[in-house]
């Protein structure tokens, strides 16, 4: 499946959330991760992230497309991705 | 079709971009809009937004799912949506 995860998490917890999502998915920009993932991995990732967040303050959206062929990604502008974070 | 639009736009232009996206889609959180939209409306929206941004500084991702039945949205945490912005 292909998933897009967007989050709005308090800065106290955002580092941990990012680190966990990065284990499973690719960071694209701001608070957005995406990628192909198995259902099992996704459930594991989700469970781990939801242990970190405070559901009374934070929010996470999951957009799930079972067949990756059914989603098309397009882009305009300057590419950032993981590169900018680390270098 | 169902689209998710995420953006990373310089603060000088972000207000204009949001205003334009809000004419066609629903704000969910941070820099994310989503919604069902016709192909024609989407192309119009995209054209308008791409006139506002500076492609050397800003970036916009479009995730497009032709058939809205092929995407599932799930959520954990505190709902924000448009309400928090205006009230």
């Amino acid at each position: 499946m292909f998933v897009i995860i967007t989050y709005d998490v308090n800065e106290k917890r955002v580092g941990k959330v990012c680190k966990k999502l990065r284990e499973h998915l690719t960071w694209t920009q701001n608070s957005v991760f995406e990628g192909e993932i198995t259902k099992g991995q996704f459930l594991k990732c989700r469970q781990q992230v939801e242990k970190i967040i405070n559901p009374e303050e934070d929010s996470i959206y999951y957009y799930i497309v079972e067949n990756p062929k059914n989603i098309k990604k397009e882009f305009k502008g300057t590419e950032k991705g993981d590169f900018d974070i680390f270098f």
Side-chain angles (χ1 to χ4, degrees), chain A:
Chain A
M1 51 173 49
F2 187 91
V3 298
I4 302 156
I5 300 185
T6 74
Y7 53 90
D8 183 358
V9 171
N10 186 293
E11 59 182 21
K12 284 179 248 167
R13 293 176 289 275
V14 77
K16 274 191 177 177
V17 167
C18 277
K19 199 178 157 204
K20 190 48 69 185
L21 290 174
R22 190 183 298 277
E23 285 173 20
H24 302 275
L25 297 162
T26 307
W27 181 78
T28 53
Q29 126 200 118
N30 287 334
S31 311
V32 183
F33 278 81
E34 57 156 69
E36 280 192 47
I37 190 168
T38 64
K39 195 167 185 170
Q41 278 178 317
F42 171 63
L43 292 175
K44 190 178 154 193
C45 168
R46 188 169 167 170
Q47 207 174 30
Q48 289 170 332
V49 167
E50 291 181 5
K51 269 187 199 161
I52 301 168
I53 66 161
N54 174 351
E56 283 172 24
E57 283 187 36
D58 307 329
S59 61
I60 302 200
Y61 286 89
Y62 308 93
Y63 298 93
I64 304 153
V65 178
E66 292 282 345
N67 184 346
K69 286 183 188 157
N70 288 328
I71 191 162
K72 208 166 59 181
K73 181 182 163 187
E74 295 180 9
F75 171 74
K76 174 82 180 183
T78 175
E79 196 91 46
K80 291 187 177 167
D82 276 347
F83 195 79
D84 272 15
I85 282 188
F86 291 120
F87 300 101

